[in-house]
Amino acid sequence: TLLYTIKFEGMATTVIEEQRMCHEEIERLQDALVAEKLHKTNTHREHINSEHRAFYLYERLQQCTSNLLNNYEDTDGIRKREIDQIGGPNEFQEFYNRLRKVKDYHKRYANDVASPMVMEFLEMAKMRENPDENEELVEFSDEEGYGKYLDLHECYEQFVNLKHSTKIDYLTYLTSFDRLFEFPKDKKLNTDYKKYLTSLQEYLIGFLYRINPLMNFDAETERILNDFEEKWGTGTFPGWARDPTSAMKSGNILDLAPFDSAEELASLGLDRLKTALQALNLKCGGTLIERAHRLYSTKGRELDELDPAAYAKNKKNRDEGEKQKDVAQLEAYVYHYTELLSEQRTSTRENVERKQARTADEVDDDDADDIDDNDEDDEEIVPYNPKNLPLGWDGKPIPYWLYKLHGLNLYFNCEICGNFKYRGPKAFQRHFAEWRHAHGMRCLGIPNTAHFANVTLIEDARALWEKIKAEKNKDKFQKETEEEFEDSHGNVVSRKVFNDLKRQGLL
């Protein structure tokens, strides 16, 4: 059956034609998406542009599929009526009516040139095959280098302006901006700190979206929240250790199963009933009988079922707990997204060090080169690097003799740091004083002192810590063996001998 597209003023396409167009568009989108993913990119800029083109095709494919599904569901019955018209007893009359409308349209707009759907995908293929002619598909600042580096200057300004923050330079901030667990806990509940965390989180998410738009951010958010709720519930979230007094308070909860009446509870006394009521966050005042009845009323009932008037007025504590959880949740986002951007973070730190080491003449020369060659991309010229040597300050591989001299061909593994590998002995020795190793030692409950230098295995660290504690216990004063007594004749004996002689009446 031939189906005609009817497009003219006052008349839209038929439902069946819309479905045909959706099927065609879906097939072309799938082909374009496969071609985009199979296309090999040579530079960082090409890779990011390719990711954004694929993301656009994927979003459009989802939208087109949703529209096609709605058409097939035919909730308004238009598709069924149209099929009945085409296949009814007057199908020839319907056909010629539609043919007449098509002819009238083309007579009215004889000079219009139709643009088939394939032209759009040919243009997209042309952009893919000729990357030099592409415009920037996503916006980056000059400092970000089209997704190669982070630009945390605004977040850095907010950090140094915090009331209780340490005044550090930008390079140090790049190394330590995710060490939020070192910030004083009692200073985290102010508005400025929360605004700083929000800005840092929004920038990291935005940057991650710009360099990797195909990432499933909903799944990442769900993973972050599940991990956070687990650690927050157990009190092991970094920087928010649970207050030991809360555990003491929860230990005061009284089991009401053995008691059959409020009078039996009254036998426990005022103080015990008060601590049990405080553990449940209920009012603890009144006489002994009133407290007993109030506590017994909670037997077999959930706390949500109780009268709100029975609760103590500690809304301030509950609000403070919610604020702490909100701030800790923002920190969880920062921890996770910083880990995902570890490669860009390292490149940013190296780039800042390289810029700080340049002279004024070199800076002027670089600025002049940028003005003369605005369209040049540094990554378009890939340096010959078959041995995968590290890049120097000029962006070229360092000499092989220097690579061997610094031992960069050696990798050192540290189990305490989560089996993180360090390249070269210099980086390995330096990491014992850095945050990752210190955090790993803190999780093991061991102080990161000089005794544990060059210790990388968890079993060795624990064994050494037990040995150090045993040696410290030897130096402690032993009351039973080292405490001395003197009898009436001037004889000096130990405490144990003195007590034995005293019991035998020999003193």
Side-chain angles (χ1 to χ4, degrees):
T1 302
L2 280 176
L3 297 176
Y4 295 91
T5 304
I6 306 172
K7 292 183 179 180
F8 56 91
E9 293 182 356
M11 189 70 181
T13 58
T14 63
V15 175
I16 298 180
E17 175 60 21
E18 288 181 358
Q19 291 179 348
R20 186 205 64 78
M21 292 173 61
C22 285
H23 279 294
E24 179 187 358
E25 187 174 359
I26 288 174
E27 290 182 3
R28 294 189 183 277
L29 287 171
Q30 290 175 344
D31 292 341
L33 189 57
V34 171
E36 190 67 55
K37 298 303 293 182
L38 293 178
H39 179 69
K40 184 178 180 181
T41 56
N42 296 323
T43 65
H44 181 75
R45 180 185 293 268
E46 290 181 27
H47 174 72
I48 290 183
N49 288 340
S50 177
E51 291 289 303
H52 279 272
R53 285 194 297 267
F55 177 73
Y56 165 75
L57 293 171
Y58 178 74
E59 289 288 315
R60 186 171 165 184
L61 180 62
Q62 280 190 323
Q63 182 63 34
C64 192
T65 306
S66 176
N67 295 338
L68 184 61
L69 181 62
N70 293 334
N71 282 338
Y72 273 114
E73 289 178 354
D74 195 23
T75 56
D76 50 7
I78 297 178
R79 180 175 180 271
K80 184 178 182 302
R81 290 197 299 269
E82 186 172 337
I83 293 176
D84 292 341
Q85 290 176 358
I86 296 175
N90 300 321
E91 67 272 14
F92 288 105
Q93 183 180 355
E94 180 68 23
F95 172 78
Y96 285 113
N97 287 338
R98 297 192 179 197
L99 179 60
R100 185 175 62 255
K101 292 178 181 179
V102 172
K103 290 181 178 180
D104 292 341
Y105 173 79
H106 285 287
K107 286 180 181 179
R108 191 180 309 168
Y109 304 101
N111 296 326
D112 287 357
V113 178
S115 179
M117 188 184 299
V118 67
M119 296 302 298
E120 179 183 359
F121 293 93
L122 290 177
E123 289 292 332
M124 195 172 298
K126 184 179 179 182
M127 293 175 60
R128 182 172 58 249
E129 299 299 332
N130 301 291
D132 295 337
E133 302 175 4
N134 281 353
E135 296 182 357
E136 295 182 354
L137 300 182
V138 60
E139 183 178 355
F140 288 99
S141 66
D142 295 337
E143 189 73 19
E144 290 172 333
Y146 212 78
K148 291 188 292 183
Y149 314 116
L150 299 172
D151 185 6
L152 294 173
H153 285 88
E154 292 185 5
C155 298
Y156 168 71
E157 292 294 335
Q158 292 184 5
F159 176 79
V160 296
N161 288 321
L162 291 177
K163 188 174 181 181
H164 301 282
S165 65
T166 306
K167 301 303 182 281
I168 56 179
D169 58 4
Y170 182 62
L171 184 59
T172 307
Y173 174 76
L174 290 174
T175 307
S176 62
F177 72 85
D178 61 332
R179 298 171 66 175
L180 302 173
F181 51 84
E182 296 182 353
F183 207 82
K185 181 179 178 181
D186 55 337
K187 311 301 185 206
K188 292 183 176 182
L189 299 181
N190 58 71
T191 307
D192 293 336
Y193 182 75
K194 189 172 182 180
K195 287 182 179 179
Y196 162 71
L197 283 182
T198 304
S199 300
L200 183 58
Q201 175 208 4
E202 290 177 352
Y203 175 80
L204 294 176
I205 294 177
F207 185 85
L208 195 59
Y209 169 76
R210 286 180 288 166
I211 65 172
N212 191 6
L214 294 176
M215 176 181 289
N216 191 345
F217 287 91
D218 293 337
E220 291 293 331
T221 301
E222 184 178 359
R223 187 180 300 111
I224 294 171
L225 292 179
N226 291 339
D227 184 62
F228 168 73
E229 291 294 341
E230 180 182 353
K231 292 183 178 179
W232 184 262
T234 57
T236 58
F237 189 77
W240 297 90
R242 179 173 292 175
D243 191 356
T245 58
S246 63
M248 295 173 58
K249 182 177 179 181
S250 63
N252 292 328
I253 296 178
L254 183 63
D255 184 14
L256 302 178
F259 300 94
D260 297 328
S261 65
E263 287 72 16
E264 294 183 11
L265 280 175
S267 63
L268 297 177
L270 283 170
D271 293 337
R272 184 64 185 97
L273 294 180
K274 179 179 179 180
T275 55
L277 289 169
Q278 287 177 340
L280 296 175
N281 197 23
L282 298 176
K283 293 181 179 179
C284 57
T287 63
L288 177 63
I289 298 299
E290 290 176 349
R291 295 183 186 182
H293 279 286
R294 190 181 305 126
L295 182 60
Y296 189 75
S297 64
T298 64
K299 183 178 180 180
R301 301 173 63 186
E302 297 291 337
L303 294 179
D304 297 339
E305 301 175 0
L306 301 179
D307 185 6
Y311 286 98
K313 297 181 179 179
N314 61 347
K315 183 179 179 182
K316 180 178 179 181
N317 294 336
R318 291 197 299 270
D319 293 344
E320 184 176 352
E322 293 177 358
K323 290 181 180 179
Q324 289 180 352
K325 188 173 182 180
D326 292 341
V327 173
Q329 185 172 325
L330 290 175
E331 292 182 352
Y333 281 108
V334 172
Y335 289 141
H336 185 77
Y337 289 124
T338 303
E339 184 177 356
L340 294 179
L341 294 170
S342 58
E343 182 179 349
Q344 286 77 12
R345 179 186 183 184
T346 303
S347 301
T348 304
R349 189 165 60 247
E350 294 174 353
N351 183 52
V352 172
E353 291 177 348
R354 185 165 59 248
K355 284 186 175 181
Q356 291 180 351
R358 293 185 303 176
T359 63
D361 294 337
E362 291 175 341
V363 173
D364 294 338
D365 293 340
D366 290 343
D367 293 340
D369 292 341
D370 292 339
I371 295 175
D372 294 338
D373 303 318
N374 288 329
D375 296 333
E376 273 192 30
D377 188 7
D378 292 339
E379 288 190 353
E380 291 181 359
I381 303 176
V382 180
Y384 180 69
N385 191 9
K387 295 183 180 294
N388 194 24
L389 301 177
L391 302 181
W393 64 269
D394 55 354
K396 298 179 181 179
I398 64 175
Y400 188 70
W401 64 267
L402 186 61
Y403 171 78
K404 297 285 287 185
L405 178 65
H406 290 289
L408 298 179
N409 57 326
L410 304 176
Y411 289 89
F412 299 88
N413 185 52
C414 181
E415 186 182 6
I416 298 176
C417 297
N419 291 322
F420 192 86
K421 291 185 178 181
Y422 296 92
R423 190 172 189 175
K426 185 177 180 181
F428 175 70
Q429 292 296 332
R430 188 172 59 242
H431 99 278
F432 288 104
E434 293 179 347
W435 69 271
R436 191 188 302 274
H437 192 83
H439 179 65
M441 295 290 286
R442 191 182 297 108
C443 293
L444 296 175
I446 302 175
N448 190 24
T449 60
H451 301 85
F452 300 91
N454 297 324
V455 177
T456 59
L457 298 178
I458 296 177
E459 184 179 354
D460 294 346
R462 286 176 174 170
L464 180 57
W465 176 235
E466 294 297 331
K467 182 179 180 181
I468 292 175
K469 289 194 295 185
E471 292 178 354
K472 288 183 178 180
N473 291 332
K474 290 181 180 179
D475 297 336
K476 289 183 179 180
F477 177 73
Q478 303 294 332
K479 188 174 181 179
E480 292 295 332
T481 58
E482 297 183 3
E483 189 176 10
E484 296 180 343
F485 287 79
E486 183 179 354
D487 61 5
S488 58
H489 297 286
N491 299 317
V492 179
V493 295
S494 65
R495 180 188 182 93
K496 182 178 180 182
V497 174
F498 181 83
N499 290 334
D500 291 342
L501 296 175
K502 184 177 180 179
R503 283 194 295 269
Q504 298 175 15
L506 298 178
L507 291 178

